[in-house]
Amino acid sequence: MKLDRIMPSVYIKTYGCQMNERDSEQVAAMFLAGGYRLTDSDAQADVVLINTCSVREKAELKALGKMGMLCSQAEEKPWAVFGLMGCMVQSRARELFEEIPRLDVVTGTHCYHRVFSICDALLKQRMANLPPAPLREGAHISQVEDLPDAHTRIRDHLPARSSCSAFVSIMQGCEMHCSYCIVPFTRGGERSRPATDIMDEVKRLVDTGVKEVTLLGQIVNRYGRDEAIVDGRGAFVRLLEALHDIEGLERMRFTSPHPIGFHDDLVRAFSYLPKLCSHIHFPMQSGSDRILKLMRRPYRQEKYMELCAAMRSARPDLAITTDIIVGFPGETQEDYLLTKAAVKKVEFDNAFIFQYSPRRGTPAAEMPGQICLREKEARNHDLLETVNRIAIARNNALVGTRQTILVEGPSKTNPNRLQGRTSQNKPVIIEKGDAQIGTLVPVTICECTGFTLYGAV
Ligand code: SAH
Ligand code: SF4
Ligand code: F3S
């Protein structure tokens, strides 16, 4: 293998949530600006990066396994730089160097802006045949606020990604400390970006052809919660209103909201902001008040149900999806059945079900009544069946309806077709030639095969 000295390449693999995807885009943009090209080939890449997630043990093991595999290619390209970044690094930087000897760089969530300069310096050093001096950058604890945004249209360099939809981070961190969750440790305290910065970023994205933005935050509705309420509207709703006025922006989404701080103004927003999509990902976690309390989730079932009902009356076609943890310490069969009953009551359009995974340093990991793997799996399996049955029924109910889809690109399963998403965030397949990528088109849903909808323009 040869090193391309003129235009070295970088490969970035991302695990975890949209925050990580967005951070990876930012890192990719810096490499592009520095004269690198992005590659989908890990074997060829001169700089190999993995952006890691710590939220469950499985996510960590996947990233470690992948990095181990990638480092095994190192003999073919001794100059290559291998780096881990993101949430897992923030919580266990030092061990990682011990576990993976070939690793060169680790950078935590607070210093991903430095990934480029560190890796580039190291690669140049190796290109110049200087004595190897692995740079061991630990997780920086200093809080680095937002960087100039990823102006460069990274998506244009990665054809697999949609270029008409973009993530925009509006806040960082979380200080909720749900008893099971590692995120407050990996991403630090909550801080909101100034609204003017967000507006500027969205305007620039729209100028490059973006039609849909998804606003990101761990508790996105807590955005700007120290700011005054103006005419009954908090900072988050005022931000939605301001974004709504941007010409050329067609759709807005946000993730993830939390029942805490979910006030009437946000419920009402669904009734008068047509660009706000008819979908909300609204993590419930459990249907048992006793478990919610142990989870340190500061709401009860009744409140969650009231909010779902209120949002649905503000926007009758609203799709609701959720996150649920099964097998939380102390969860009895009765608690589990309450969760199952709640799933049936809300009729979620879909739900991510997670088996509780103990995270080091979190209170739940030390709680009595840890549930065995077999029981967690059984509950997961049982709940998944209910979730899927409801999800398929809700999809089937769309057959014959008219929906507007944003056409995002070729279908993942059949490149001869196009894929778009409805306002409810449901993927719809249409024939190629029926519409242009990046446009909103009305379709009639003519068929549903479980999770896939087919539309005719
Ligand atoms: N900030 C969001 C959640 C972000 S983490 C919120 O509070 O709604 C994404 C999801 O991972 C969570 O909703 C939860 O369901 C799941 N999760 C977090 N920690 C977990 C753990 N230790 N074990 C299993 N699932 C977990
Ligand atoms: Fe984790 Fe809770 Fe914060 Fe969500 S709100 S990121 S689950 S601590
Ligand atoms: Fe994972 Fe970090 Fe997101 S732990 S879920 S990538 S905030």
Side-chain angles (χ1 to χ4, degrees):
M1 206 176 294
K2 256 182 67 191
L3 167 66
D4 183 346
R5 283 164 195 276
I6 316 274
M7 197 177 239
S9 60
V10 58
Y11 166 87
I12 307 177
K13 169 86 187 160
T14 308
Y15 293 97
C17 64
Q18 292 99 331
M19 314 265 169
N20 262 16
E21 282 185 41
R22 209 260 169 190
D23 291 353
S24 290
E25 289 187 351
Q26 196 105 52
V27 171
M30 293 174 93
F31 274 91
L32 285 172
Y36 282 65
R37 75 192 161 78
L38 300 183
T39 173
D40 284 337
S41 157
D42 51 39
Q44 303 285 326
D46 304 309
V47 176
V48 174
L49 293 171
I50 294 186
N51 198 357
T52 59
C53 171
S54 253
V55 78
R56 286 168 292 275
E57 193 187 11
K58 254 192 200 155
E60 291 198 344
L61 294 177
K62 258 197 213 161
L64 285 174
K66 176 87 179 170
M67 191 40 111
M69 193 278 282
L70 296 175
C71 285
S72 68
Q73 302 165 343
E75 259 177 47
E76 310 251 316
K77 43 175 186 179
W79 61 84
V81 174
F82 293 89
L84 282 175
M85 51 193 247
C87 289
M88 178 163 61
V89 171
Q90 196 71 29
S91 60
R92 46 190 285 198
R94 232 162 250 125
E95 302 160 41
L96 291 172
F97 283 130
E98 280 156 29
E99 281 174 46
I100 309 175
R102 181 58 177 81
L103 200 58
D104 298 299
V105 178
V106 307
T107 49
T109 52
H110 295 311
C111 63
Y112 63 88
H113 63 297
R114 294 194 51 207
V115 174
F116 168 68
S117 56
I118 295 167
C119 293
D120 184 53
L122 192 50
L123 186 67
K124 292 211 167 103
Q125 194 181 29
R126 288 186 183 160
M127 275 152 72
N129 285 328
L130 294 175
L135 220 129
R136 307 211 142 185
E137 190 77 15
H140 281 222
I141 317 296
S142 67
Q143 297 199 341
V144 174
E145 290 315 325
D146 274 286
L147 308 167
D149 23 88
H151 268 309
T152 330
R153 298 307 317 285
I154 313 139
R155 291 175 197 81
D156 295 344
H157 297 262
L158 291 174
R161 297 207 200 167
S162 160
S163 57
C164 52
S165 182
F167 292 131
V168 176
S169 154
I170 65 166
M171 57 198 298
Q172 301 281 340
C174 181
E175 44 207 49
M176 207 60 175
H177 288 281
C178 300
S179 62
Y180 51 82
C181 184
I182 202 162
V183 170
F185 303 101
T186 66
R187 296 226 159 224
E190 183 183 292
R191 50 261 180 234
S192 295
R193 266 176 93 187
T196 46
D197 286 6
I198 300 168
M199 291 290 288
D200 287 348
E201 180 175 347
V202 174
K203 282 180 190 157
R204 275 196 301 270
L205 286 167
V206 168
D207 285 345
T208 64
V210 165
K211 299 280 165 54
E212 172 185 277
V213 291
T214 303
L215 309 179
L216 301 181
Q218 288 299 351
I219 304 189
V220 73
N221 50 308
R222 298 240 288 188
Y223 173 79
R225 73 192 158 98
D226 298 333
E227 287 178 38
I229 308 289
V230 181
D231 296 333
R233 283 127 56 247
F236 182 57
V237 170
R238 280 183 279 122
L239 176 68
L240 289 175
E241 289 176 349
L243 292 168
H244 200 275
D245 286 341
I246 295 178
E247 212 173 305
L249 181 68
E250 307 275 1
R251 284 181 165 183
M252 308 189 293
R253 305 180 184 276
F254 55 80
T255 196
S256 289
H258 189 297
I260 185 120
F262 202 115
H263 300 301
D264 271 0
D265 60 336
L266 184 50
V267 173
R268 277 199 310 273
F270 280 99
S271 66
Y272 66 86
L273 296 178
K275 291 182 183 177
L276 190 58
C277 287
S278 297
H279 170 230
I280 189 158
H281 182 71
F282 196 36
M284 177 176 83
Q285 312 301 1
S286 170
S288 154
D289 283 350
R290 202 179 67 82
I291 296 297
L292 285 173
K293 203 164 163 196
L294 287 174
M295 286 177 164
R296 276 206 215 141
R297 297 284 289 187
Y299 54 89
R300 300 295 163 253
Q301 257 309 292
E302 194 184 349
K303 165 91 176 165
Y304 185 86
M305 292 295 166
E306 275 170 20
L307 282 168
C308 289
M311 283 187 286
R312 276 182 173 150
S313 63
R315 181 68 73 84
D317 70 340
L318 188 75
I320 306 179
T321 57
T322 199
D323 290 345
I324 293 167
I325 298 177
V326 291
F328 187 81
E331 185 186 72
T332 61
Q333 186 64 14
E334 274 127 56
D335 293 315
Y336 166 68
L337 290 175
L338 286 170
T339 298
K340 192 167 162 180
V343 165
K344 288 183 184 163
K345 187 165 175 198
V346 181
E347 292 194 28
F348 291 110
D349 287 79
N350 210 347
F352 295 110
I353 304 167
F354 303 112
Q355 295 174 28
Y356 168 69
S357 168
R359 305 285 64 211
R360 204 180 350 171
T362 62
E366 308 298 324
M367 282 181 187
Q370 299 285 328
I371 309 289
C372 70
L373 187 62
R374 243 181 64 203
E375 190 54 42
K376 286 188 219 179
E377 274 170 0
R379 289 177 191 175
N380 185 348
H381 185 79
D382 182 62
L383 192 59
L384 190 62
E385 203 183 58
T386 302
V387 163
N388 285 350
R389 188 167 36 76
I390 297 170
I392 291 169
R394 288 187 68 88
N395 280 353
N396 271 320
L398 292 172
V399 173
T401 64
R402 276 172 75 76
Q403 306 283 334
T404 301
I405 63 166
L406 177 60
V407 183
E408 294 178 330
S411 150
K412 281 175 202 115
T413 47
N414 181 349
N416 292 320
R417 289 175 163 172
L418 292 174
Q419 181 181 307
R421 267 177 311 129
T422 64
S423 173
Q424 293 187 327
N425 209 30
K426 311 221 181 213
V428 176
I429 309 290
I430 58 171
E431 289 303 326
K432 213 174 192 167
D434 279 359
Q436 295 264 314
I437 293 173
T439 60
L440 285 158
V441 288
V443 298
T444 303
I445 305 299
C446 40
E447 202 191 329
C448 163
T449 55
F451 293 100
T452 314
L453 299 173
Y454 295 86
V457 176

